[in-house]
Amino acid sequence: MSQPFLGYTNDVDKAFPGIRDFRVTVTEDPGGYYVRDAAQRMNVYTKGSAARVHRCANPQCQQGGLDIQRLVLFSGPGSHAISCPGHDGSPKGRRKGDQCDNHFDVTIEIERE
Ligand SMILES: [Zn+2]
């Protein structure tokens, strides 16, 4: 299930203005707590296969993961080390639990038009 880019468009050309293509490589869970198979800890997103959100591998994680579009538009090219912003509180978010301990290493390459 995909959410609209920036909340209002599913058109990737509108979602990523001026960007011909990009490649976002996400490596998560370096300790192997949630994803046992090392090959599955790495995911690659391009403009053609972009998901709005990269979901956190921690099954307890709430409101975590990475906003791929925000990373491309606002973080820009390079390497980024990002702690998961999620927490393991209740699904409705009434009680905030401990911060999610998952971690993402993100490499972004952008080809501009
Ligand atoms: Zn998380």
Side-chain angles (χ1 to χ4, degrees):
M1 197 177 78
S2 70
Q3 300 173 43
F5 288 105
L6 276 185
Y8 62 84
T9 179
N10 278 309
D11 182 338
V12 289
D13 287 323
K14 287 183 183 150
F16 299 99
I19 294 174
R20 191 194 311 275
D21 202 358
F22 62 80
R23 182 179 176 89
V24 178
T25 305
V26 179
T27 306
E28 67 182 312
D29 190 23
Y33 296 114
Y34 309 115
V35 187
R36 285 195 177 172
D37 184 350
Q40 292 179 3
R41 284 178 213 140
M42 192 176 92
N43 285 280
V44 176
Y45 298 96
T46 62
K47 188 174 171 183
S49 70
R52 174 68 204 271
V53 173
H54 172 79
R55 290 187 187 282
C56 178
N58 176 356
Q60 304 298 320
C61 181
Q62 306 294 334
Q63 299 167 339
L66 291 173
D67 185 325
I68 299 296
Q69 184 189 28
R70 191 169 292 273
L71 282 169
V72 170
L73 294 182
F74 301 114
S75 295
S79 296
H80 307 276
I82 300 169
S83 295
C84 181
H87 60 87
D88 62 4
S90 71
K92 289 175 183 167
R94 281 180 298 195
R95 180 182 67 83
K96 282 217 169 188
D98 292 332
Q99 166 119 28
C100 176
D101 61 2
N102 199 0
H103 176 88
F104 306 98
D105 285 315
V106 183
T107 303
I108 302 174
E109 298 161 70
I110 296 175
E111 187 184 330
R112 296 191 187 277
E113 285 179 347

